[in-house]
Amino acid sequence: MALNQCLHKKRVERVVMRSRGSIVALAVELTQEAYAFKEEEQIPRTWNYNIDSDTDSIPGVWPPNNKADNPSLHNPLLRLERMGCGWLGAIFEWEGVIIDDNPDLEKQAWLTLSQEEGKTPPPTFLLKRVEGMKNEQAISEVLCWSRDPGELRRLGLRKEEIYQRLQGGIYSLRSGSREFVDILMTYKIPMALVSTRPRKTLEAAIGDIGIEGVFSVIVAAEDVHRGKPDPEMFIYAAQLLKFIPERCIVFGNSNQTVEAAHDARMKCVAVASKHPVYELGAADMVVRHLDELSVVDLKNLAAVESPEFQEPELEMEEEIEEDRSSRPTGVDDIFW
């Protein structure tokens, strides 16, 4: 009797296990079908864009190519230095960063030119807009005095003559500029000078204040088509320095400089010589004098990737993850 009961119990357990297994298998199959349907509806099978992961297309090749690497050097130590945070170039503006600047002289030059040419004196807000631009660019795009190339060149040269006459050819280094430049020279960090002044004026001023041989690259008004906020000057300086833009640091004193540097994917240190510190908050770093900086600050600044420099594909991937997380949780999601 006891044996029959034991056999009957085992048979019942087998039937229950079989039925339970079939139920679980059926549930798994149904859940997979439902999830596959949902995946087809919300997640595209073919991507319409290419994700640039900066890796080599050949499988198994690692590490990927570094943008700062230069295999033609044939020197592993130099290549390592170029790829490290110590590999950087410095791009300086001239007025308000290296030398003292008087913004009123620029305004007086424009007002004097307008009187000579019989033009309406430009209002203050227009004079602020033309800061950092080339003379021809300001005359044609902001002041709208002429569109003729020959006339633009004549007016631009005349405006520069008026400014140089008002300025008097007297230049003085800003406090801390010479000390900071000497430090960069000690560490063999290449430097470039950019300005919308003529090259002849810049070279004469550099000789007057005694900093010949400091800047390995000089980008003057004759070398570019447009001034700030266009990043053309800074991009051209980086090309002459043979550095990628991400490893260049721009030193300027205005928000136009910050905008141009960031558009060129460069970091920017703002010098509060013309504007107060709180107006230059868009810069990566703000100082009152250049000697407040150290080489360690520049290395740390060059080693950090700014959010605006991230690849757009990463943002798209984050949006996809947010969409997945924001979906209402269903029964099948809980099951899995």
Side-chain angles (χ1 to χ4, degrees):
M1 187 68 179
L3 180 61
N4 292 335
Q5 291 180 354
C6 183
L7 293 174
H8 179 71
K9 185 176 180 180
K10 289 183 178 180
R11 290 173 183 172
V12 172
E13 289 179 354
R14 290 176 182 175
V15 172
V16 171
M17 290 297 294
R18 290 176 182 175
S19 61
R20 184 179 299 175
S22 61
I23 293 174
V24 172
L26 180 61
V28 170
E29 184 178 357
L30 293 175
T31 304
Q32 288 178 346
E33 291 180 358
Y35 186 79
F37 174 77
K38 183 181 296 185
E39 189 178 32
E40 291 177 357
E41 289 292 327
Q42 297 192 10
I43 304 177
R45 291 295 182 179
T46 58
W47 304 100
N48 295 326
Y49 57 90
N50 296 323
I51 298 179
D52 183 13
S53 59
D54 202 19
T55 58
D56 201 304
S57 58
I58 302 176
V61 177
W62 191 260
N65 295 330
N66 189 297
K67 294 180 180 179
D69 190 14
N70 185 7
S72 64
L73 292 176
H74 302 293
N75 187 326
L77 296 180
L78 290 178
R79 292 177 64 182
L80 183 62
E81 182 182 1
R82 288 176 67 90
M83 291 186 290
C85 64
W87 178 67
L88 56 92
I91 302 176
F92 291 89
E93 286 190 330
W94 177 240
E95 295 165 345
V97 179
I98 299 297
I99 65 171
D100 288 320
D101 180 27
N102 187 357
D104 294 333
L105 295 181
E106 191 76 15
K107 298 178 182 178
Q108 293 176 15
W110 284 115
L111 293 175
T112 303
L113 180 63
S114 65
Q115 292 176 0
E116 289 183 358
E117 299 295 327
K119 306 291 185 180
T120 303
T124 305
F125 74 93
L126 286 183
L127 294 178
K128 289 184 178 180
R129 283 188 59 188
V130 302
E131 291 181 1
M133 292 184 177
K134 288 188 62 175
N135 293 334
E136 295 83 354
Q137 177 187 0
I139 293 170
S140 63
E141 298 181 7
V142 180
L143 302 178
C144 299
W145 287 351
S146 177
R147 297 285 184 179
D148 181 68
E151 185 68 9
L152 290 176
R153 180 171 178 80
R154 185 188 69 83
L155 292 175
L157 292 175
R158 179 54 185 159
K159 184 263 174 183
E160 190 64 30
E161 291 175 0
I162 296 172
Y163 176 83
Q164 294 300 329
R165 189 182 65 212
L166 294 174
Q167 201 269 341
I170 301 174
Y171 303 95
S172 61
L173 285 168
R174 292 198 78 245
S175 174
S177 299
R178 185 57 185 264
E179 293 79 1
F180 182 69
V181 167
D182 291 341
I183 291 176
L184 297 189
M185 291 186 66
T186 302
Y187 285 89
K188 299 180 180 180
I189 296 178
M191 291 174 280
L193 179 66
V194 298
S195 176
T196 54
R197 301 295 176 197
R199 179 175 296 273
K200 185 183 297 184
T201 302
L202 291 175
E203 292 177 350
I206 289 174
D208 291 341
I209 59 180
I211 55 173
E212 302 95 331
V214 171
F215 301 104
S216 55
V217 170
I218 297 178
V219 178
E222 300 90 337
D223 301 319
V224 294
H225 295 284
R226 300 172 61 83
K228 296 178 298 184
D230 194 286
E232 181 183 359
M233 291 190 303
F234 302 134
I235 294 176
Y236 185 51
Q239 291 176 350
L240 295 179
L241 290 174
K242 299 181 180 179
F243 287 169
I244 60 173
E246 289 83 354
R247 291 295 189 187
C248 293
I249 300 177
V250 176
F251 298 84
N253 68 335
S254 65
N255 285 316
Q256 289 90 337
T257 304
V258 177
E259 179 183 353
H262 286 175
D263 287 344
R265 302 176 66 86
M266 300 178 184
K267 303 297 175 58
C268 184
V269 175
V271 180
S273 59
K274 182 170 60 175
H275 300 282
V277 174
Y278 62 85
E279 289 187 3
L280 302 172
D284 299 284
M285 188 177 295
V286 183
V287 295
R288 289 183 172 84
H289 300 279
L290 289 178
D291 57 355
E292 300 175 14
L293 297 168
S294 65
V295 176
V296 176
D297 295 329
L298 302 186
K299 288 184 177 182
N300 294 334
L301 191 62
V304 176
E305 292 294 336
S306 299
E308 61 267 22
F309 297 161
Q310 299 295 331
E311 296 294 334
E313 288 79 9
L314 297 178
E315 298 178 359
M316 192 173 296
E317 290 180 356
E318 292 176 359
E319 291 177 359
I320 294 175
E321 292 295 334
E322 291 178 359
D323 293 341
R324 291 179 180 177
S325 61
S326 62
R327 290 184 307 176
T329 305
V331 178
D332 52 348
D333 294 330
I334 297 176
F335 182 82
W336 285 104

